[in-house]
Amino acid sequence: MLRLLLIFCLIHTILPAKAQDTIPWSRSSDLEKEGYYSNLGFTQKAIRVGIIQNSDTTDPLRYLKINNPHANSIILARLNGDTLYKTGDFLPFQNRPVYFWDFVLPIHTREWNGDSLVLTIDNTGETQVFFLEVLKAQAFEKMKSGDTFMYGLLLAYAIFFAGMFITLGLLKKNRNNIIFGAYVLFSLLWVFNVEGVFYQFLWNENIFFQHASRVFFSSITIGLFVLYFINYYRDIIHPIARKIFYGFLGFLVIRLSLVLLFPGIRLNTESKYILLVIGTLIIIAGLILLLTYLILLFRKKELIYHNLGTAICFLFILKEGLKLTGIDISPFPKQDDYVSVITLVCILTTISAIYRDWE
């Protein structure tokens, strides 16, 4: 098993470097119609993408939207080297050209076709995944309003269910309900943080929180669900398996402690890269083990519906973990933020509908 993990790390160390040697070019009109998606997994160098602008004197303003709020450095420059924008997570949130959770860069087309741009995205030591699209001003405002409405509904929906589970747990002195309610709440915080929604509202000036919050919310969310799994199935799980699962919880605590106690790690790209690769692989292995054990529990017919909802939870977290390695199991990777929201709603609905303690 250790040998396979080392080979996996080596492959993901070598392949991204080869993939970043050439610059892929796309026309602005193509980015407006289809966009450009790339998931390189763990990276150790910056990547560049070329954009060939199309002349349009009737409506010259366009917005280049980078659907990834977690990029260390972003530079948009003309082909001759003139820098238009320089932003990224290494600067406070309010430095961004447009106040929105994703990186949005306004660009103006020229009257001649030779105007080309080069976008450099540097996420050295972390995961490199992004979706580029070009939007007209009206389309951008429409998308922005739609996203705000969607996240507003998710916020209300999740807080309602989290409050109901926690209240019910306190009234009935049921620890499972309290743990699941906390999981719902932190799942919401995780999704909001992954999509960058929290940056502009809560810690737009604190650069450390922009980095540490990703590990914090993911570790707490995964840990709470593993804890819920152990408690809900405590009479069924084998004692040895229970110790292994508690060991997995211990790893999550160590992972979180390293980030909070040693903030300088984020500035050392080599250390950050190694810890990210090892940590992600351990989390994926742990989730697969938990999911395998859950499959064995499907023999309990009285738990079939709860097992199904629990399996969706594990698959959702596993999807996020695999995405870090460059593997997309979502059928719509370009719209992964919407997939995450829909999946979370399905998890809450499934578990809530079949939970017997509502009675």
Side-chain angles (χ1 to χ4, degrees):
M1 183 65 181
L2 180 60
R3 184 178 298 177
L4 289 175
L5 290 179
L6 291 175
I7 293 174
F8 187 84
C9 293
L10 181 62
I11 291 175
H12 278 272
T13 302
I14 296 174
L15 289 184
K18 291 183 177 180
Q20 298 169 47
D21 287 339
T22 58
I23 302 179
W25 286 89
S26 299
R27 290 191 175 276
S28 178
S29 56
D30 295 331
L31 293 178
E32 191 172 335
K33 294 177 182 177
E34 301 177 358
Y36 177 79
Y37 177 80
S38 178
N39 184 356
L40 299 173
F42 304 118
T43 55
Q44 291 182 293
K45 61 186 297 185
I47 63 101
R48 293 192 296 170
V49 178
I51 302 172
I52 303 174
Q53 292 211 73
N54 305 92
S55 61
D56 188 348
T57 56
T58 60
D59 188 11
L61 177 62
R62 295 287 192 279
Y63 289 96
L64 175 63
K65 181 172 174 290
I66 307 169
N67 192 12
N68 176 8
H70 311 284
N72 296 335
S73 173
I74 294 178
I75 299 176
L76 182 66
R78 299 197 185 279
L79 194 60
N80 61 10
D82 295 337
T83 299
L84 299 180
Y85 300 103
K86 186 176 183 179
T87 182
D89 273 356
F90 72 100
L91 294 171
F93 184 91
Q94 57 264 38
N95 172 265
R96 302 186 182 190
V98 176
Y99 214 64
F100 188 59
W101 35 81
D102 291 328
F103 285 104
V104 180
L105 310 177
I107 54 177
H108 293 266
T109 58
R110 294 179 174 178
E111 296 184 5
W112 46 286
N113 290 326
D115 188 18
S116 299
L117 306 175
V118 176
L119 177 68
T120 303
I121 305 178
D122 189 352
N123 240 16
T124 302
E126 298 184 32
T127 297
Q128 185 62 271
V129 53
F130 59 89
F131 175 54
L132 303 178
E133 57 182 329
V134 172
L135 300 168
K136 294 181 180 179
Q138 185 177 2
F140 172 68
E141 291 300 327
K142 183 178 179 180
M143 178 276 304
K144 186 177 179 180
S145 299
D147 278 13
T148 303
F149 180 71
M150 176 187 68
Y151 287 120
L153 283 180
L154 178 64
L155 178 66
Y157 191 76
I159 288 180
F160 171 77
F161 278 104
M164 290 295 291
F165 272 106
I166 293 175
T167 302
L168 184 63
L170 293 174
L171 292 175
K172 292 194 173 187
K173 298 180 179 179
N174 188 318
R175 184 169 58 178
N176 284 340
N177 285 16
I178 297 175
I179 295 175
F180 189 78
Y183 163 74
V184 171
L185 181 60
F186 274 93
S187 292
L188 171 73
L189 298 177
W190 186 18
V191 170
F192 270 39
N193 193 66
V194 166
E195 304 304 334
V197 179
F198 274 166
Y199 285 10
Q200 58 185 316
F201 298 116
L202 299 181
W203 44 76
N204 52 17
E205 296 183 6
N206 195 309
I207 298 176
F208 172 68
F209 279 165
Q210 292 181 190
H211 292 262
S213 58
R214 280 174 269 173
V215 176
F216 178 80
F217 288 117
S218 63
S219 298
I220 298 295
T221 301
I222 298 172
L224 282 171
F225 192 75
V226 173
L227 188 61
Y228 172 76
F229 179 86
I230 296 172
N231 278 273
Y232 189 88
Y233 298 102
R234 62 181 177 274
D235 297 328
I236 306 174
I237 296 177
H238 192 277
I240 297 179
R242 190 183 297 114
K243 291 181 180 179
I244 295 175
F245 298 153
Y246 274 119
F248 184 45
L249 284 175
F251 162 74
L252 293 175
V253 173
I254 294 174
R255 174 177 180 255
L256 180 58
S257 300
L258 285 174
V259 173
L260 296 180
L261 297 177
F262 303 99
I265 289 178
R266 71 179 180 87
L267 301 177
N268 188 316
T269 56
E270 290 297 328
S271 298
K272 183 169 59 175
Y273 179 83
I274 294 172
L275 290 175
L276 179 62
V277 172
I278 295 175
T280 302
L281 292 177
I282 293 177
I283 289 176
I284 291 174
L287 290 173
I288 292 176
L289 178 62
L290 284 162
L291 192 59
T292 302
Y293 202 90
L294 179 63
I295 293 174
L296 298 176
L297 298 177
F298 268 83
R299 293 175 296 182
K300 303 281 186 180
K301 294 183 179 180
E302 67 275 13
L303 297 175
I304 186 68
Y305 295 109
H306 187 275
N307 291 344
L308 181 61
T310 308
I312 295 175
C313 292
F314 276 128
L315 289 173
F316 168 67
I317 299 175
L318 185 61
K319 174 188 77 71
E320 293 296 320
L322 288 173
K323 184 179 178 181
L324 295 177
T325 69
I327 301 173
D328 292 304
I329 62 174
S330 168
F332 310 104
K334 294 180 180 180
Q335 290 79 31
D336 193 63
D337 47 349
Y338 301 112
V339 173
S340 297
V341 170
I342 294 172
T343 304
L344 182 56
V345 170
C346 290
I347 291 172
L348 299 183
T349 304
T350 304
I351 297 292
S352 302
I354 60 183
Y355 214 87
R356 288 176 290 184
D357 285 350
W358 287 116
E359 301 173 359

